[in-house]
């Protein structure tokens, strides 16, 4: 049986009686701005929101271990799209999620990207559907990637596939190593200004593995220097880019305040996509997680494009403000959410 996900039509969002659906702030529970910014971005993604508002998530719940946090997340999405309040409290979700991931239970600052990874993993575990053949493969291998451990709304919307082409520089043998991803962490190649395409070029440029990074060549029977080049073999419907603003320098971690220019539409990923991939390669920006400040005293906010009004809004914890398109391009951008223009 092929797994297919069908969503309610977009009219479901437009028919909501409230004048302000999807424009609800989130109360700061003390140093939880990282959580609020990520949740606002996730709750602005149309196919993701439709999945929860349609009630399909109730029927898809599969894993008891993630049950409570998935239910709390689904209820929070509903509250945020009712539009009855200026802001709501994410206390219930934060409480149950903190029990699953104790590091986030403490009311201290955390990295938004690390939180996003955990949220996507947790929701995948809650909703995944595993075929009998996949269960046999997973137990035989002893460990499995997310793609081999079942399908879910997370894999359907967010999961892509990379292939690393590795060539031994001694015998010239070529091998491919596949790897699934939900977030691409991109290096920032400049300290002053660059574009998102510059970051992508840096990520996908060929690299040479030498010394301690040598590969073990099966054909040579020993460690060898090699070249490696990544390409996208499956492009996700929603692609998330994490800009690596925090870097180590002289044993100290510092923040890069580089202005990264990113397009609002027609982001073309075709230069980095394998010829075997037939997905649409153009994407439009739909949400941004921002980080202002330094490592110790930073603050997270979100910019989200509303699926109904098509206007951009700033979400700063409980405060929601309409902003011009020009304000979305900011040097505080940390995580970028793009949706495929082919869906």
């Amino acid at each position: 049986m092929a797994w297919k996900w069908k969503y309610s039509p977009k009219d479901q969002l437009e028919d909501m009686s409230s004048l302000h659906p999807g424009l609800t702030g989130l109360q700061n529970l003390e140093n939880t701005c990282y959580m609020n910014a990520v949740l606002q971005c996730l709750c602005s993604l149309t196919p993701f929101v439709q999945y929860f508002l349609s009630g399909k998530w109730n029927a898809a719940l599969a894993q008891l271990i993630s049950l409570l946090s998935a239910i709390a997340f689904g209820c929070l999405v509903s509250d945020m799209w009712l539009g009855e309040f200026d802001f709501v409290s994410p206390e219930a979700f934060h409480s149950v999620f903190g029990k699953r991931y104790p590091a986030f239970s403490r009311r201290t600052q955390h990295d938004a990207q690390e939180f996003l990874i955990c949220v996507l993993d947790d929701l995948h575990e809650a909703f995944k559907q595993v075929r009998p053949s996949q269960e046999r493969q997973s137990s035989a291998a002893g460990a499995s990637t997310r793609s081999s451990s079942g399908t879910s709304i997370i894999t359907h919307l967010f999961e892509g596939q990379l292939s690393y082409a590795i060539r031994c520089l001694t015998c010239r043998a070529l091998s491919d190593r596949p790897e699934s991803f939900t977030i691409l962490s991109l290096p920032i190649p400049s300290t002053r200004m660059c574009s998102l395409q510059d970051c992508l070029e840096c990520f996908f440029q060929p690299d040479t593995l030498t010394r301690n990074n040598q590969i073990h060549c099966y054909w040579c029977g020993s460690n060898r220097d090699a070249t490696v080049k990544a390409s996208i073999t499956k492009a996700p419907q929603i692609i998330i880019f994490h800009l690596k603003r925090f870097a180590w320098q002289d044993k100290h971690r510092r923040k890069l305040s580089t202005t990264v220019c990113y397009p609002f539409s027609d982001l073309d990923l075709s230069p980095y996509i394998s010829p075997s991939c037939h997905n649409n390669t153009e994407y439009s920006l739909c949400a941004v997680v921002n980080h202002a400040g330094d490592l110790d005293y930073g603050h997270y906010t979100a910019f989200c494009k509303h699926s109904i009004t098509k206007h951009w809004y700033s979400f700063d914890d409980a405060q929601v403000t309409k902003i011009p398109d020009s304000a979305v391009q900011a040097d505080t951008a940390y995580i970028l959410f793009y949706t495929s223009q082919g869906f």
Side-chain angles (χ1 to χ4, degrees), residues 243 245 258 260 262 288-291 328-336:
L243 302 177
R245 290 199 177 276
T258 304
V260 179
Y262 38 90
V288 182
V289 171
N290 300 290
H291 181 271
V328 179
Q329 176 66 65
D331 58 9
T332 53
Y334 184 50
I335 304 174
L336 305 171

Side-chain angles (χ1 to χ4, degrees), residues 20 36 229 242 257:
H20 306 287
N36 291 347
K229 182 174 179 9
H242 160 236
S257 297

Side-chain angles (χ1 to χ4, degrees), residues 75-313:
C75 292
L76 183 60
V77 174
S78 297
D79 288 345
M80 293 169 68
W81 274 89
L82 281 176
E84 294 180 350
F85 307 99
D86 291 336
F87 66 90
V88 295
S89 172
E91 174 68 44
F93 173 76
H94 180 266
S95 176
V96 296
F97 190 80
K99 293 177 182 177
R100 286 274 289 140
Y101 298 91
F104 295 108
S105 65
R106 298 186 291 273
R107 305 286 174 102
T108 57
Q109 294 192 38
H110 291 281
D111 183 85
Q113 183 239 359
E114 295 175 358
F115 174 73
L116 175 59
I117 291 173
C118 292
V119 170
L120 294 179
D121 284 346
D122 200 51
L123 293 177
H124 169 69
E125 287 298 317
F127 300 126
K128 71 179 179 181
Q129 304 293 323
V130 182
R131 303 173 190 169
S133 60
Q134 290 176 320
E135 289 179 335
R136 290 194 295 270
Q137 291 170 359
S138 297
S139 54
S144 61
T145 62
R146 175 182 296 154
S147 59
S148 67
S149 61
T151 59
S152 70
I153 183 63
I154 302 302
T155 59
H156 181 77
L157 293 179
F158 298 96
E159 186 174 272
Q161 192 86 16
L162 291 174
S163 178
Y164 291 92
I166 304 172
R167 184 177 295 278
C168 174
L169 293 180
T170 301
C171 70
R172 312 300 296 177
L174 181 66
S175 60
D176 290 307
R177 179 170 64 85
E179 182 178 291
S180 60
F181 71 89
T182 50
I183 301 174
L184 286 183
S185 291
L186 306 181
I188 300 177
S190 172
T191 57
R192 300 184 64 184
M193 179 178 289
C194 66
S195 67
L196 180 59
Q197 290 286 10
D198 293 331
C199 299
L200 287 164
E201 288 286 344
C202 189
F203 180 88
F204 285 101
Q205 70 180 357
D207 195 12
T208 302
L209 306 178
T210 61
R211 299 182 179 179
N212 294 334
N213 295 319
Q214 286 183 326
I215 65 159
H216 181 81
C217 178
Y218 171 82
W219 303 102
C220 294
S222 61
N223 291 346
R224 299 295 191 189
D225 290 351
T227 59
V228 58
K229 182 174 179 9
S231 62
I232 298 174
T233 53
K234 176 195 170 189
Q237 182 175 341
I238 300 171
I239 192 165
I240 305 173
F241 299 116
H242 160 236
L243 302 177
K244 298 172 71 172
R245 290 199 177 276
F246 302 110
W248 290 95
Q249 185 179 49
D250 299 328
K251 298 182 179 181
H252 297 285
R253 201 166 180 238
R254 66 185 183 93
K255 181 184 176 183
L256 297 175
S257 297
T258 304
T259 297
V260 179
C261 300
Y262 38 90
F264 284 34
S265 62
D266 302 325
L267 172 65
D268 186 10
L269 296 182
S270 60
Y272 321 109
I273 291 183
S274 168
S276 63
C277 178
H278 302 295
N279 301 62
N280 183 73
T281 62
E282 293 189 340
Y283 287 78
S284 294
L285 184 69
C286 55
V288 182
V289 171
N290 300 290
H291 181 271
D294 56 29
L295 291 172
D296 299 318
Y297 300 100
H299 181 62
Y300 287 99
T301 59
F303 295 154
C304 302
K305 187 175 184 179
H306 197 271
S307 59
I308 300 173
T309 68
K310 304 302 180 185
H311 295 307
W312 283 91
Y313 293 86

